[in-house]
Amino acid sequence: MKSDRLLSILLLLQTRGRVPARELAERLEVSVRTVYRDVESLSAAGVPVYAERGRHGGIELLAGFRTDVTGLTADESRALFVLAAQGAHAALGLDAAFGSALRKVMAALPAPHRPAAETASRRILVDATRWRGGPQPAVDLEVLRDAVFADRRLRLRYRHSGERQVRTYTVDPYGLVAKAGVWYLVADRRAEPRLFRADRVRSARLLDEPVRRRPGVELADAWEGLRR
C-alpha cells in the first residue's frame, strides 16, 4: 500500500505541480505527517522532491522531472476519460483502482493533451439506466466478479422471473455484461449458453474446479448469441 501511495504522490505532483500537503493527505486518506514521511522516502529513493512550509507552501518536484509516455493522440486521450464517466467500475468494486489508474494516465499524457482529456471527463456523461426504470435492487457482484477473473466454476442459487422456487445451478462463466443499468452473468450450463440476471442470484460460491468454456467462444460471442 505504501508503494502505491508513493507512486500516487509522484504522479499527482507531475500532473499538478505544487500541491499542499493537506490536499495530498485528503486525496490519499492519510495524515499530513504520513505525507511528509512519504516525501522523505521519495527523496531518499532519488526523486527530486521538496517541501515548502507556510501559507503558500506545498510539495513540488524539481522543474523538468517527470515520467513521460508519448504517443497518445488528443482523441485517444479524450476516449480514455470518457470511459471514466461510465461508472461500471464502481459496481465491480474497482472504483479506487480506476481512479488511481486515471491519475497515472493523466500524469503520463503529453502536456498538450491534458486539457482535452480533462474537458472530456467534465463534458461527457454516460448514464446507463433507463428512464422510469424505478429503483434497482442492490446487487452484490463480488463473487461473480471473482469467478470471472479467476476462471473458476460457480455454484448459483437462482430465482427465475415469475417463480418463487430457488434453483441451484453449476455454471461456467464467460463474463459480466451491463445492459441498460442491469448486470447479467453470461455462462454455460452443461455446455449450453445461459443468461443469469445478477439481481436474481440469491447466493454464489466459487468452486475449486477451473471453468469449462466451449473452445473458441469468447464473452462477446456468447453475449451476441444470447442477445439475438
Side-chain angles (χ1 to χ4, degrees):
M1 290 180 66
K2 181 177 180 180
S3 60
D4 287 344
R5 195 170 65 243
L6 293 177
L7 183 57
S8 292
I9 290 175
L10 177 58
L11 294 174
L12 283 167
L13 295 178
Q14 285 187 172
T15 305
R16 297 277 309 280
R18 179 177 295 184
V19 182
R22 185 169 297 280
E23 181 178 336
L24 284 174
E26 290 174 355
R27 281 176 171 265
L28 300 172
E29 298 181 347
V30 296
S31 66
V32 172
R33 181 175 298 180
T34 297
V35 167
Y36 281 120
R37 283 201 298 263
D38 288 346
V39 168
E40 291 176 0
S41 297
L42 286 171
S43 180
V47 176
V49 59
Y50 64 95
E52 287 189 3
R53 299 181 184 273
R55 182 178 178 183
H56 300 293
I59 297 169
E60 190 171 0
L61 294 169
L62 286 180
F65 178 85
R66 63 174 290 102
T67 301
D68 195 8
V69 178
T70 59
L72 286 174
T73 67
D75 281 344
E76 288 169 341
S77 304
R78 289 190 185 100
L80 287 172
F81 282 80
V82 168
L83 175 67
Q86 297 188 16
H89 48 280
L92 293 171
L94 299 173
D95 207 12
F98 196 76
S100 176
L102 286 178
R103 286 196 296 271
K104 294 175 184 179
V105 170
M106 180 62 81
L109 284 178
H113 298 336
R114 288 182 202 159
E118 291 177 342
T119 299
S121 68
R122 295 197 304 269
R123 298 290 182 263
I124 305 296
L125 174 65
V126 179
D127 185 348
T129 57
R130 291 175 293 184
W131 293 108
R132 302 178 183 176
Q136 294 293 327
V139 179
D140 185 359
L141 294 175
E142 183 176 358
V143 177
L144 304 184
R145 179 201 66 191
D146 291 346
V148 166
F149 289 159
D151 289 331
R152 301 261 292 279
R153 304 189 92 192
L154 268 173
R155 181 73 49 77
L156 299 180
R157 294 182 66 253
Y158 188 81
R159 185 184 62 79
H160 292 276
S161 177
E163 293 186 3
R164 300 184 64 179
Q165 179 183 358
V166 176
R167 302 177 184 270
T168 301
Y169 299 111
T170 298
V171 300
D172 297 291
Y174 286 93
L176 291 164
V177 174
K179 173 71 170 175
V182 179
W183 282 95
Y184 296 91
L185 173 71
V186 177
D188 277 354
R189 178 174 181 261
R190 298 177 179 173
E192 292 292 331
R194 297 286 298 272
L195 197 60
F196 298 93
R197 185 164 161 155
D199 57 17
R200 294 182 185 147
V201 174
R202 291 297 169 259
S203 67
R205 180 168 61 88
L206 267 71
L207 303 181
D208 292 332
E209 307 165 54
V211 72
R212 304 173 189 172
R213 301 187 183 107
R214 286 167 286 146
V217 179
E218 297 291 339
L219 172 61
D221 306 318
W223 168 254
E224 180 63 18
L226 291 164
R227 187 184 64 81
R228 287 179 181 273

